Amino acid sequence: MTARSCLSIILAAGEGTRMKSATPKVLHKIAGLPMVAHVARAAEAAGAGDLGIVVGHGGEEVQKAAQGFAPEAEIFVQSQRLGTAHAVLAARAAIARGYDDLLVMFGDTPLIEAGALASARQKLAEGAAVVVIGFRTPNPAGYGRLIEKDGKLVAIREDKDCSDEERMISFCNAGLMAISGAVALELLGKVGNANAKGEFYLTDIVEIADRTGLNVVATEAGFESVLGINNRVELAEAEAIWQQRRRRSAMLGGATLIAPETVYFSHDTEIGADVVVEPNVWFGVGVTIADGALVHAYCHLEGASVGPRAEIGPFARLRPGAELHEKAKVGNFCEVKKATVEKGAKVNHLTYIGDARVGAGANIGAGTITCNYDGYSKFFTDIGEGAFIGSNTSIVAPIAIGARSYIASGSVITDEVPEDALAFGRARQKTLPGKGKELRERFASAAAAKKAK
Ligand code: UD1
Ligand code: MG
């Protein structure tokens, strides 16, 4: 079979008032990615060709976001919200280019899977003119119902237009449709608005196609994958479903999640085999975990990479640009930002490493701070291979600490330290024998005199 050409259109002109948000509904995120981008990804994964997004009045924000997640997408503006068929026709010029398949999706149905889209297109390839993705639910109120006659789909009736008998039907329209490109404009052109809402319903093309003798088919998807998001409760439900799917794929991919329900992934988290993740871990956007790494409990990562057999936490925070090489260790209550921790280096306790390189095998003592910021600019700290930084050291950048050098604990280091040097940056200790006892007695008698008054 030669590959069929396809235009995928995502409808995103809705106002989303129930989100009660200054952000357009379809830009609300699931796993760190806007809902509409999830839909675009599914279409892409299904090999669904060119992408168009229909935005509404004030859709500039969606358009701007699309430049990030789908730079090739064509944006169409539906300036008046007159219904889903009308919205699809906002992309008339693109449809008229003549595609084999036209796929219509909603921007607020983020959990749709590529498989469902691909199988709808497969039905077109087998001769259907219109393919509807349906689902079954015990609570069909609000959805369009799939009306079947002799086991064949003949119409979709919107909830408000249903007879009492039709309202009992539990087979519903998910809203995703595949339409043969050859007849799409003709079918859409015949849609009227004589219905309860006075809108041009995309769903009407089912009845129009059936009456014209064209083949109309319903496929079925699981309820979860066609969940439409209208408010933040549903947004959280979708997030939960997404997370569940991802945890499962991580585990099937060879990662151990000791308490999977407490581990949160982003849309782009990469996690290798034989990684162990302890409870309560947050993977923000842009995280890669290599094979065999160990992530202890309560870690928070974002824009970071953890190398093979590296170990972090408990309670480690890796911020954007943190790069841990093989067998590096970042321990409890440490923060690493825009810094490389090279092979086998250890940053084990209560430390901040920012804008820095920690050379291979270096050991950073507890409470060490790279002082990287003067209130205006950020400066770089270079710590050489095998350096030993004593506890509670402040390293004032810009600065270089030589390989295998030794820094005395409690130092404030402001000048470059050469290789193999020993550096002290603190006042010398003074010890006065007997003075402690003398001081204690003086304080005690002063307190007693005060009490006697
Ligand atoms: C739609 C379906 C219904 C289905 C339900 C599933 C129609 C007529 N009805 O109903 O059969 O069961 O979804 O959730 O298609 N949109 C525009 N421009 C418009 C109107 C809508 O872009 O003029 C977009 C919305 O942003 C949304 C989608 O189309 O993403 C669906 O519109 P909505 O008003 O939510 O339709 P429903 O009444 O939910
Ligand atoms: Mg809706």
Side-chain angles (χ1 to χ4, degrees), residues 18 25 81 106 108-109 142-143 197 228-230:
R18 281 173 285 173
K25 172 162 84 170
R81 206 174 175 279
F106 293 167
D108 60 358
T109 307
Y143 293 108
K197 277 181 156 176
I229 310 307
N230 295 306

Side-chain angles (χ1 to χ4, degrees), residues 9 27 93 134 137 154 169 202 206 226 277 284 298 378 381 403 444 451:
I9 296 178
L27 293 186
T137 169
V154 294
I169 297 171
L202 173 62
V206 168
V226 293
V277 182
Y298 299 103
K378 302 276 167 64
T381 296
K451 214 170 173 187

Side-chain angles (χ1 to χ4, degrees), residues 193-212:
N193 66 350
N195 51 53
K197 277 181 156 176
E199 285 188 1
F200 295 88
Y201 290 158
L202 173 62
T203 44
D204 280 357
I205 68 167
V206 168
E207 195 165 356
I208 295 167
D210 180 66
R211 286 222 187 113
T212 330

Side-chain angles (χ1 to χ4, degrees), residues 286-357:
V287 172
T288 303
I289 311 287
D291 292 355
L294 174 54
V295 180
H296 289 290
Y298 299 103
C299 287
H300 190 286
L301 301 86
E302 203 185 344
S305 75
V306 176
R309 292 184 305 288
E311 187 175 337
I312 63 167
F315 296 99
R317 180 169 184 211
L318 302 189
R319 291 175 51 206
E323 227 179 89
L324 275 50
H325 293 181
E326 192 178 341
K327 285 188 173 172
K329 270 180 88 175
V330 171
N332 43 275
F333 306 106
C334 291
E335 175 178 337
V336 178
K337 185 219 76 168
K338 207 173 172 190
T340 307
V341 181
E342 293 181 348
K343 188 172 176 182
K346 291 182 193 158
V347 182
N348 269 342
H349 333 268
L350 301 149
T351 285
Y352 172 61
I353 299 290
D355 303 292
R357 172 184 82 104

Side-chain angles (χ1 to χ4, degrees), residues 25-298:
K25 172 162 84 170
V26 296
L27 293 186
H28 281 261
K29 290 174 179 172
I30 287 172
L33 187 73
M35 292 199 270
V36 60
H38 280 272
V39 180
R41 288 275 167 89
E44 196 189 331
D50 296 343
L51 183 66
I53 303 176
V54 178
V55 300
H57 185 66
E60 295 84 8
E61 244 182 290
V62 178
Q63 181 164 4
K64 213 170 131 208
Q67 281 161 9
F69 64 78
E72 309 282 290
E74 271 181 89
I75 305 292
F76 302 97
V77 179
Q78 183 198 23
S79 41
Q80 259 185 308
R81 206 174 175 279
L82 299 179
T84 44
H86 181 261
V88 174
L89 281 173
R92 179 194 294 274
I95 302 168
R97 287 199 292 259
Y99 290 88
D100 295 319
D101 300 348
L102 175 64
L103 204 53
V104 179
M105 294 160 288
F106 293 167
D108 60 358
T109 307
L111 299 177
I112 185 68
E113 288 169 301
L117 301 176
S119 74
R121 288 189 62 206
Q122 181 56 33
K123 293 271 191 298
L124 291 183
E126 290 163 12
V130 178
V131 184
V132 173
I133 301 183
F135 66 97
R136 289 180 202 275
T137 169
N139 306 307
Y143 293 108
R145 309 299 204 284
L146 303 191
I147 314 287
E148 289 172 302
K149 214 184 229 165
D150 307 324
K152 235 185 117 275
L153 180 65
V154 294
I156 300 178
R157 196 87 67 232
E158 289 307 301
D159 189 64
K160 285 193 173 153
D161 302 295
C162 279
S163 66
D164 288 346
E165 198 184 329
E166 288 167 339
R167 208 161 271 133
M168 305 292 286
I169 297 171
S170 62
F171 196 19
C172 296
N173 174 29
L176 301 119
M177 242 184 239
I179 309 163
S180 158
V183 294
L185 284 179
E186 190 189 323
L187 294 174
L188 287 162
K190 288 185 184 158
V191 172
N193 66 350
N195 51 53
K197 277 181 156 176
E199 285 188 1
F200 295 88
Y201 290 158
L202 173 62
T203 44
D204 280 357
I205 68 167
V206 168
E207 195 165 356
I208 295 167
D210 180 66
R211 286 222 187 113
T212 330
L214 293 167
N215 188 11
V216 182
V217 178
T219 62
E220 198 173 330
F223 179 59
E224 290 195 338
S225 66
V226 293
L227 190 66
I229 310 307
N230 295 306
N231 57 45
R232 296 186 201 234
V233 175
E234 289 164 350
L235 184 70
E237 278 165 14
E239 176 81 39
I241 294 165
W242 190 95
Q243 292 294 342
Q244 222 163 12
R245 283 183 186 170
R246 185 66 187 89
R247 290 164 187 147
R248 194 179 148 76
S249 73
M251 291 186 282
L252 292 175
T256 293
L257 311 182
I258 293 172
E261 65 287 359
T262 69
V263 175
Y264 292 84
F265 291 101
S266 283
H267 65 97
D268 59 352
T269 308
E270 286 177 37
I271 186 160
D274 286 322
V275 168
V276 175
V277 182
E278 290 181 358
N280 296 300
V281 172
W282 174 270
F283 295 109
V285 171
V287 172
T288 303
I289 311 287
D291 292 355
L294 174 54
V295 180
H296 289 290
Y298 299 103

Side-chain angles (χ1 to χ4, degrees), residues 353-385:
I353 299 290
D355 303 292
R357 172 184 82 104
V358 177
N363 190 311
I364 309 295
T368 296
I369 306 289
T370 51
C371 308
N372 60 329
Y373 185 50
D374 61 8
Y376 298 93
S377 310
K378 302 276 167 64
F379 300 96
F380 189 76
T381 296
D382 189 74
I383 299 175
E385 288 75 22

